[in-house]
Amino acid sequence: MTNKEAKQFRTKRDIIFYVPNLIGYLRMCLCVCASFCLPRYGWSFIAILLICAFTDLIDGIAARKLNQCSHYGELLDIIADNACRTLSWIAVFVIAGERITYLDATMCVIIPTTEWVSMLATQIEAVNRNKKHWKRTNDNAPWLLQKIFKNGFKNPLGSLTIAGIFGLPLAKVTSAQ
């Protein structure tokens, strides 16, 4: 192995251990721990998922501050986000049990499915746009999406959207207890 190949291998290997990625692994482990709280320990479940949401903020800040941004980290972050939110909707279904409404049951299926399909679609589009970050929408995106994604969700509509996709299932879990 040449020095150039060794350096390239080391760099790819090192990405796995970037601080933001370690936080992403922690979030995935917290999702697994949260799943064991269901259905008996609903408040513990909520607390763990709130920690997941908080660490979601931290990993992005750490990536930028430590200059440890990577495509792998972007994907890990999206997968951890989707895993947490999917688990939240599963919790709505599990905790509500037989009391679940048709609307809630429908949301428990449609919303996580839409999020996973959207993740796949945005990643395919990013590859087609030469790996341009998925949050940077193109001019062909609908007006509302452009407003939500403006400045990487750092705007009132983007913040409301993020609060809703994390908060709605947790609010439903809380009310179902």
Side-chain angles (χ1 to χ4, degrees), residues 17-24 27 54-70 73-74 77 154:
F17 297 106
Y18 279 0
V19 171
N21 296 342
L22 295 175
I23 295 169
R27 291 174 59 213
F54 177 71
T55 54
D56 182 30
L57 295 173
I58 293 172
D59 70 356
I61 293 168
R64 289 182 291 279
K65 294 283 184 191
L66 299 172
N67 196 25
Q68 294 184 341
C69 297
S70 67
E74 289 174 24
D77 183 53
K154 294 178 185 87

Side-chain angles (χ1 to χ4, degrees), residues 2 23 43 47 52 69 81 123 128 149 172:
T2 66
I23 295 169
W43 292 108
C52 285
C69 297
D81 288 347
Q123 294 310 306
N128 290 338
F149 281 83
K172 290 200 163 288

Side-chain angles (χ1 to χ4, degrees), residues 98-117:
E98 293 177 1
R99 301 170 306 175
I100 194 163
T101 66
Y102 288 115
L103 177 61
D104 285 348
T106 302
M107 288 191 313
C108 289
V109 174
I110 290 177
I111 292 175
T113 302
T114 302
E115 288 201 62
W116 285 101
V117 170

Side-chain angles (χ1 to χ4, degrees), residues 130-147:
N130 298 321
K131 299 193 181 203
K132 188 175 179 183
H133 194 281
W134 67 271
K135 287 183 183 177
R136 293 185 190 100
T137 61
N138 60 31
D139 294 334
N140 297 331
W143 173 85
L144 183 60
L145 285 181
Q146 290 181 26
K147 295 298 180 190

Side-chain angles (χ1 to χ4, degrees), residues 68-89:
Q68 294 184 341
C69 297
S70 67
H71 187 62
Y72 173 78
E74 289 174 24
L75 287 174
L76 179 63
D77 183 53
I78 297 166
I79 290 168
D81 288 347
N82 282 358
C84 289
R85 291 191 302 264
T86 299
L87 186 59
S88 297
W89 284 109

